[in-house]
Amino acid sequence: MRLSIVSTGLFVLALGCTSEPAADPRNPSDTPARAPRPSYTIEDISTGPADDSYAWSINSASQVAGWSSTITGQRGWVWILRTVTWLPMPRGAIGSHAWGISSEGQIAGSILYSGSTSTAAFWATRSSSPRLIPTIGGSVNYALAVNASGRVAGMVMDATGARQAFVWEAGTGSFTLLGTLGGANSEAIDVNEAGTVTGC
């Protein structure tokens, strides 16, 4: 009985070894196939003469949002079908930034005013006027990401200079500060399609 159990175990083990032999590194046919490396091409998103240009976000349709520092100031743009569209700005603005773009083509960014003041902004489309997101008394505010349902994540500054993470809903206009883990500052940096926000 004891011999029978041992011989059965050896038989199963032998089958396992012979069905999957170890690769011989000296034999190229024994070397496991490697996954092909992805190849990339570089494409110029030309915004004309600019000191700096930044492509900050891309969506599933390969639409890109970014901004460029031109001779007339910093301007936010969207690149769709190899065409750059400058984002509309409200009266009194001197510039804009586009930081995030949703799968629906909505844009999160900021509007720049004189005196280094900025306000978080939301564009429903690349040609629509921006909606300004509430502030809490500080001079530097920006929206960094937006999902398909219009949930915007970003940062607003209070009058003391502390930064606060926020979420703003385009559909309802509701504005929520997300708080901190006990420190003075927080920022919301991204939001997914489920509405979950990440930041620091």
Side-chain angles (χ1 to χ4, degrees):
M1 185 69 140
R2 192 171 295 162
L3 280 173
S4 175
I5 293 172
V6 171
S7 63
T8 303
L10 289 173
F11 180 72
V12 173
L13 182 59
L15 277 180
C17 290
T18 57
S19 62
E20 295 180 8
D24 183 351
R26 296 166 296 177
N27 186 349
S29 64
D30 281 350
T31 304
R34 293 183 179 177
R37 292 178 125 183
S39 61
Y40 296 90
T41 58
I42 299 174
E43 188 156 343
D44 182 14
I45 301 177
S46 180
T47 58
D51 292 333
D52 300 293
S53 286
Y54 301 93
W56 280 103
S57 183
I58 186 170
N59 66 14
S60 56
S62 295
Q63 299 172 342
V64 179
W67 60 274
S68 297
S69 181
T70 70
I71 57 174
T72 60
Q74 296 174 350
R75 291 289 308 276
W77 47 260
V78 174
W79 185 71
I80 300 175
L81 299 174
R82 294 179 169 77
T83 300
V84 169
T85 300
W86 299 102
L87 295 174
M89 297 189 301
R91 182 174 298 177
I94 63 170
S96 62
H97 290 153
W99 300 107
I101 186 167
S102 75
S103 60
E104 300 297 314
Q106 303 154 310
I107 301 109
S110 52
I111 299 295
L112 310 177
Y113 296 93
S114 60
S116 300
T117 300
S118 62
T119 299
F122 167 83
W123 289 263
T125 69
R126 57 182 164 166
S127 59
S128 62
S129 297
R131 292 174 62 186
L132 302 183
I133 295 171
T135 64
I136 56 173
S139 60
V140 179
N141 311 273
Y142 42 80
L144 291 174
V146 56
N147 69 9
S149 65
R151 175 168 289 181
V152 176
M155 185 280 296
V156 289
M157 184 180 285
D158 67 20
T160 69
R163 301 183 302 276
Q164 298 292 317
F166 76 85
V167 167
W168 178 82
E169 307 288 346
T172 63
S174 67
F175 175 83
T176 304
L177 294 176
L178 300 181
T180 72
L181 293 173
N185 302 293
S186 63
E187 296 186 23
I189 296 173
D190 206 358
V191 56
N192 67 10
E193 296 305 336
T196 307
V197 176
T198 60
C200 60

